[in-house]
Amino acid sequence: MRVVDWGDAVSGRAAMPERSAATIGVFDGLHLGHRALVERVVAKAPRLAPVVVTFRDNPKRVTRPHRFSGCLFTLEQKLSALEDAGAEVCVLIDFSGNFSKLAGSEFVSALGSIGVRSFVIGSDFKCGHRLSTDAEGLKAVAASFGADTEIVGPITLDGEPVSSSRIRSAIANGRTDLALAMLGRPYTLDLRRLEIEYERGSAAFSLKGSGLVEPAPGRYEATEICVAGSGAVEATLRRDGTVLWARTALCADREPAFLAFGSRIA
């Protein structure tokens, strides 16, 4: 997958597909609802190149910093998941002061100018300054330059839409089983940028200040993942945000890359 900066794409400094299908969103966690959108875009290939337009960081860090509880993915995890899902190009947006003031119609028209001829968006989609352009508004703008729009309804679980905010809430309440059902995989912490301390076959790191969602304090079934493979472990998350777990024999001499949370034990 080729990763292109938004500014480079719209200025012509980076080559974009001549004709493409695109989905737009934050895609934090790339949950089942997100994957349904990406799958529809990928299904349009090879007639249209599958493109994902997303953000380098979650815009809520800027717009609602005191209410934002953290990310489900690091940027590296998101890009890897999008590539695995079949995206050929990912356009990354920095949610700067200038971009946040861009009208929704201007944003959609800019995508048209770089070759987007088909949009796939969720029914709750909103974009632009003050989120003034909704799904139907995007559809109208897209039609003005000959692009079609597919509006997709939400994926539901237990009668409620699957969403990143709902997943964050589940994890924060220790419901990693519910998070798994909505993500389609365990909630997995990217350890590659965290400082890990080792002592007597155990490892520990702090989630404080990491920007990642903290599971509720308690003991969890978990999986340690490293270059050599993966091994089942038990992880304890303390109230101070420290995660402690026993190293597996398989990964004892290697740096772990990820820690995947299974069910909460206590």
Side-chain angles (χ1 to χ4, degrees):
M1 181 180 74
R2 194 159 55 90
V3 180
V4 178
D5 177 78
W6 167 258
D8 290 341
V10 297
S11 67
R13 290 191 298 270
M16 292 293 293
E18 185 176 344
R19 294 175 60 83
S20 63
T23 185
I24 310 161
V26 178
F27 300 119
D28 189 21
L30 200 69
H31 58 60
L32 298 182
H34 296 149
R35 284 158 62 182
L37 299 176
V38 177
E39 285 169 5
R40 282 169 166 80
V41 166
V42 171
K44 297 177 186 289
R47 182 176 62 87
L48 299 172
V51 172
V52 173
V53 181
T54 188
F55 296 88
R56 194 174 296 276
D57 199 0
N58 197 311
K60 288 182 180 178
R61 284 185 186 274
V62 176
T63 60
R64 301 177 184 176
H66 301 297
R67 296 178 60 185
F68 184 60
S69 60
C71 294
L72 299 167
F73 260 178
T74 60
L75 177 60
E76 291 81 2
Q77 282 177 295
K78 177 160 67 172
L79 293 177
S80 177
L82 288 171
E83 183 171 28
D84 289 345
E88 291 183 8
V89 179
C90 177
V91 178
L92 275 185
I93 299 169
D94 284 315
F95 193 77
S96 63
N98 288 334
F99 183 86
S100 66
K101 296 173 183 175
L102 189 67
S105 58
E106 293 177 298
F107 172 57
V108 178
S109 294
L111 289 171
S113 73
I114 59 173
V116 178
R117 291 297 173 265
S118 180
F119 291 86
V120 179
I121 54 173
S123 55
D124 61 348
F125 175 87
K126 290 184 179 180
C127 72
H129 184 55
R130 299 183 185 273
L131 300 177
S132 57
T133 301
D134 61 10
E136 291 296 335
L138 179 146
K139 185 175 182 178
V141 177
S144 71
F145 55 82
D148 64 76
T149 303
E150 181 181 358
I151 300 175
V152 181
I155 301 295
T156 61
L157 180 69
D158 298 331
E160 296 182 40
V162 170
S163 68
S164 296
S165 58
R166 189 181 171 199
I167 295 169
R168 292 187 194 99
S169 179
I171 293 168
N173 288 310
R175 291 294 312 278
T176 47
D177 56 330
L178 180 58
L180 183 152
M182 291 188 283
L183 287 167
R185 62 187 176 280
Y187 174 54
T188 303
L189 295 173
D190 188 341
L191 307 180
R192 292 171 293 182
R193 292 189 179 183
L194 298 180
E195 186 174 332
I196 303 174
E197 297 182 358
Y198 303 98
E199 184 177 356
R200 297 179 183 178
S202 294
F205 62 90
S206 175
L207 283 172
K208 294 297 183 185
S210 68
L212 301 172
V213 178
E214 288 186 32
R219 291 164 49 227
Y220 295 85
E221 297 175 356
T223 301
E224 182 187 30
I225 304 167
C226 63
V227 174
S230 60
V233 296
E234 183 179 299
T236 300
L237 197 142
R238 298 168 173 167
R239 293 193 178 278
D240 66 355
T242 299
V243 180
L244 175 69
W245 82 100
R247 303 297 310 280
T248 62
L250 184 67
C251 300
D253 60 344
R254 293 174 172 83
E255 291 289 329
F258 304 98
L259 188 65
F261 279 74
S263 299
R264 189 180 185 189
I265 301 169

PDB file of all heavy atoms in Angstrom, residues 174-188:
ATOM      1  N   GLY A 174     -13.378  -3.034  31.160  1.00  0.00           N
ATOM      2  CA  GLY A 174     -12.901  -4.397  31.305  1.00  0.00           C
ATOM      3  C   GLY A 174     -13.607  -5.413  30.432  1.00  0.00           C
ATOM      4  O   GLY A 174     -13.383  -6.613  30.555  1.00  0.00           O
ATOM      5  N   ARG A 175     -14.473  -4.951  29.517  1.00  0.00           N
ATOM      6  CA  ARG A 175     -15.214  -5.864  28.642  1.00  0.00           C
ATOM      7  C   ARG A 175     -14.423  -6.102  27.360  1.00  0.00           C
ATOM      8  O   ARG A 175     -14.859  -5.763  26.262  1.00  0.00           O
ATOM      9  CB  ARG A 175     -16.591  -5.286  28.337  1.00  0.00           C
ATOM     10  CG  ARG A 175     -17.549  -5.253  29.522  1.00  0.00           C
ATOM     11  CD  ARG A 175     -17.920  -6.671  29.977  1.00  0.00           C
ATOM     12  NE  ARG A 175     -18.322  -7.537  28.883  1.00  0.00           N
ATOM     13  CZ  ARG A 175     -19.556  -7.553  28.348  1.00  0.00           C
ATOM     14  NH1 ARG A 175     -20.487  -6.756  28.830  1.00  0.00           N
ATOM     15  NH2 ARG A 175     -19.848  -8.396  27.366  1.00  0.00           N
ATOM     16  N   THR A 176     -13.261  -6.702  27.506  1.00  0.00           N
ATOM     17  CA  THR A 176     -12.441  -6.996  26.334  1.00  0.00           C
ATOM     18  C   THR A 176     -13.106  -8.026  25.434  1.00  0.00           C
ATOM     19  O   THR A 176     -12.819  -8.084  24.242  1.00  0.00           O
ATOM     20  CB  THR A 176     -11.048  -7.479  26.768  1.00  0.00           C
ATOM     21  OG1 THR A 176     -11.193  -8.467  27.800  1.00  0.00           O
ATOM     22  CG2 THR A 176     -10.217  -6.322  27.315  1.00  0.00           C
ATOM     23  N   ASP A 177     -13.998  -8.840  25.992  1.00  0.00           N
ATOM     24  CA  ASP A 177     -14.750  -9.796  25.171  1.00  0.00           C
ATOM     25  C   ASP A 177     -15.692  -9.076  24.216  1.00  0.00           C
ATOM     26  O   ASP A 177     -15.838  -9.445  23.050  1.00  0.00           O
ATOM     27  CB  ASP A 177     -15.523 -10.776  26.059  1.00  0.00           C
ATOM     28  CG  ASP A 177     -16.462 -10.067  27.039  1.00  0.00           C
ATOM     29  OD1 ASP A 177     -16.164  -8.927  27.460  1.00  0.00           O
ATOM     30  OD2 ASP A 177     -17.502 -10.651  27.391  1.00  0.00           O
ATOM     31  N   LEU A 178     -16.336  -8.013  24.709  1.00  0.00           N
ATOM     32  CA  LEU A 178     -17.229  -7.215  23.865  1.00  0.00           C
ATOM     33  C   LEU A 178     -16.431  -6.449  22.818  1.00  0.00           C
ATOM     34  O   LEU A 178     -16.846  -6.337  21.657  1.00  0.00           O
ATOM     35  CB  LEU A 178     -18.041  -6.250  24.734  1.00  0.00           C
ATOM     36  CG  LEU A 178     -19.028  -5.325  24.026  1.00  0.00           C
ATOM     37  CD1 LEU A 178     -20.044  -6.117  23.217  1.00  0.00           C
ATOM     38  CD2 LEU A 178     -19.732  -4.426  25.048  1.00  0.00           C
ATOM     39  N   ALA A 179     -15.259  -5.937  23.217  1.00  0.00           N
ATOM     40  CA  ALA A 179     -14.385  -5.248  22.260  1.00  0.00           C
ATOM     41  C   ALA A 179     -13.972  -6.187  21.141  1.00  0.00           C
ATOM     42  O   ALA A 179     -13.971  -5.814  19.963  1.00  0.00           O
ATOM     43  CB  ALA A 179     -13.156  -4.693  22.969  1.00  0.00           C
ATOM     44  N   LEU A 180     -13.637  -7.431  21.494  1.00  0.00           N
ATOM     45  CA  LEU A 180     -13.252  -8.428  20.491  1.00  0.00           C
ATOM     46  C   LEU A 180     -14.381  -8.654  19.486  1.00  0.00           C
ATOM     47  O   LEU A 180     -14.141  -8.731  18.277  1.00  0.00           O
ATOM     48  CB  LEU A 180     -12.873  -9.733  21.182  1.00  0.00           C
ATOM     49  CG  LEU A 180     -12.377 -10.890  20.299  1.00  0.00           C
ATOM     50  CD1 LEU A 180     -11.439 -11.793  21.089  1.00  0.00           C
ATOM     51  CD2 LEU A 180     -13.533 -11.730  19.749  1.00  0.00           C
ATOM     52  N   ALA A 181     -15.608  -8.735  19.982  1.00  0.00           N
ATOM     53  CA  ALA A 181     -16.751  -8.975  19.096  1.00  0.00           C
ATOM     54  C   ALA A 181     -16.940  -7.831  18.105  1.00  0.00           C
ATOM     55  O   ALA A 181     -17.344  -8.054  16.956  1.00  0.00           O
ATOM     56  CB  ALA A 181     -18.009  -9.178  19.930  1.00  0.00           C
ATOM     57  N   MET A 182     -16.651  -6.604  18.518  1.00  0.00           N
ATOM     58  CA  MET A 182     -16.831  -5.450  17.637  1.00  0.00           C
ATOM     59  C   MET A 182     -15.624  -5.204  16.732  1.00  0.00           C
ATOM     60  O   MET A 182     -15.767  -4.741  15.597  1.00  0.00           O
ATOM     61  CB  MET A 182     -17.139  -4.202  18.468  1.00  0.00           C
ATOM     62  CG  MET A 182     -18.505  -4.245  19.136  1.00  0.00           C
ATOM     63  SD  MET A 182     -18.973  -2.683  19.944  1.00  0.00           S
ATOM     64  CE  MET A 182     -17.982  -2.771  21.453  1.00  0.00           C
ATOM     65  N   LEU A 183     -14.431  -5.516  17.237  1.00  0.00           N
ATOM     66  CA  LEU A 183     -13.219  -5.336  16.440  1.00  0.00           C
ATOM     67  C   LEU A 183     -13.000  -6.476  15.453  1.00  0.00           C
ATOM     68  O   LEU A 183     -12.359  -6.301  14.417  1.00  0.00           O
ATOM     69  CB  LEU A 183     -11.989  -5.251  17.357  1.00  0.00           C
ATOM     70  CG  LEU A 183     -11.804  -3.964  18.158  1.00  0.00           C
ATOM     71  CD1 LEU A 183     -10.748  -4.177  19.240  1.00  0.00           C
ATOM     72  CD2 LEU A 183     -11.411  -2.811  17.250  1.00  0.00           C
ATOM     73  N   GLY A 184     -13.501  -7.658  15.817  1.00  0.00           N
ATOM     74  CA  GLY A 184     -13.234  -8.836  15.007  1.00  0.00           C
ATOM     75  C   GLY A 184     -11.890  -9.458  15.334  1.00  0.00           C
ATOM     76  O   GLY A 184     -11.434 -10.388  14.668  1.00  0.00           O
ATOM     77  N   ARG A 185     -11.231  -8.966  16.380  1.00  0.00           N
ATOM     78  CA  ARG A 185      -9.939  -9.469  16.845  1.00  0.00           C
ATOM     79  C   ARG A 185      -9.706  -8.888  18.241  1.00  0.00           C
ATOM     80  O   ARG A 185     -10.353  -7.909  18.623  1.00  0.00           O
ATOM     81  CB  ARG A 185      -8.807  -9.040  15.902  1.00  0.00           C
ATOM     82  CG  ARG A 185      -8.661  -7.545  15.829  1.00  0.00           C
ATOM     83  CD  ARG A 185      -7.663  -7.102  14.789  1.00  0.00           C
ATOM     84  NE  ARG A 185      -7.645  -5.646  14.708  1.00  0.00           N
ATOM     85  CZ  ARG A 185      -8.532  -4.928  14.045  1.00  0.00           C
ATOM     86  NH1 ARG A 185      -9.509  -5.535  13.383  1.00  0.00           N
ATOM     87  NH2 ARG A 185      -8.480  -3.622  14.029  1.00  0.00           N
ATOM     88  N   PRO A 186      -8.774  -9.445  19.020  1.00  0.00           N
ATOM     89  CA  PRO A 186      -8.534  -8.910  20.367  1.00  0.00           C
ATOM     90  C   PRO A 186      -7.999  -7.475  20.330  1.00  0.00           C
ATOM     91  O   PRO A 186      -7.342  -7.079  19.367  1.00  0.00           O
ATOM     92  CB  PRO A 186      -7.478  -9.868  20.950  1.00  0.00           C
ATOM     93  CG  PRO A 186      -7.551 -11.093  20.109  1.00  0.00           C
ATOM     94  CD  PRO A 186      -7.957 -10.649  18.735  1.00  0.00           C
ATOM     95  N   TYR A 187      -8.281  -6.726  21.385  1.00  0.00           N
ATOM     96  CA  TYR A 187      -7.675  -5.405  21.539  1.00  0.00           C
ATOM     97  C   TYR A 187      -6.182  -5.614  21.760  1.00  0.00           C
ATOM     98  O   TYR A 187      -5.765  -6.308  22.692  1.00  0.00           O
ATOM     99  CB  TYR A 187      -8.294  -4.662  22.723  1.00  0.00           C
ATOM    100  CG  TYR A 187      -7.615  -3.349  23.015  1.00  0.00           C
ATOM    101  CD1 TYR A 187      -7.462  -2.389  22.023  1.00  0.00           C
ATOM    102  CD2 TYR A 187      -7.126  -3.060  24.299  1.00  0.00           C
ATOM    103  CE1 TYR A 187      -6.835  -1.178  22.281  1.00  0.00           C
ATOM    104  CE2 TYR A 187      -6.506  -1.853  24.570  1.00  0.00           C
ATOM    105  CZ  TYR A 187      -6.359  -0.916  23.564  1.00  0.00           C
ATOM    106  OH  TYR A 187      -5.737   0.283  23.817  1.00  0.00           O
ATOM    107  N   THR A 188      -5.366  -5.018  20.890  1.00  0.00           N
ATOM    108  CA  THR A 188      -3.940  -5.305  20.876  1.00  0.00           C
ATOM    109  C   THR A 188      -3.126  -4.033  21.033  1.00  0.00           C
ATOM    110  O   THR A 188      -3.273  -3.092  20.254  1.00  0.00           O
ATOM    111  CB  THR A 188      -3.548  -6.011  19.562  1.00  0.00           C
ATOM    112  OG1 THR A 188      -4.331  -7.208  19.433  1.00  0.00           O
ATOM    113  CG2 THR A 188      -2.076  -6.371  19.557  1.00  0.00           C
TER     114      THR A 188
END
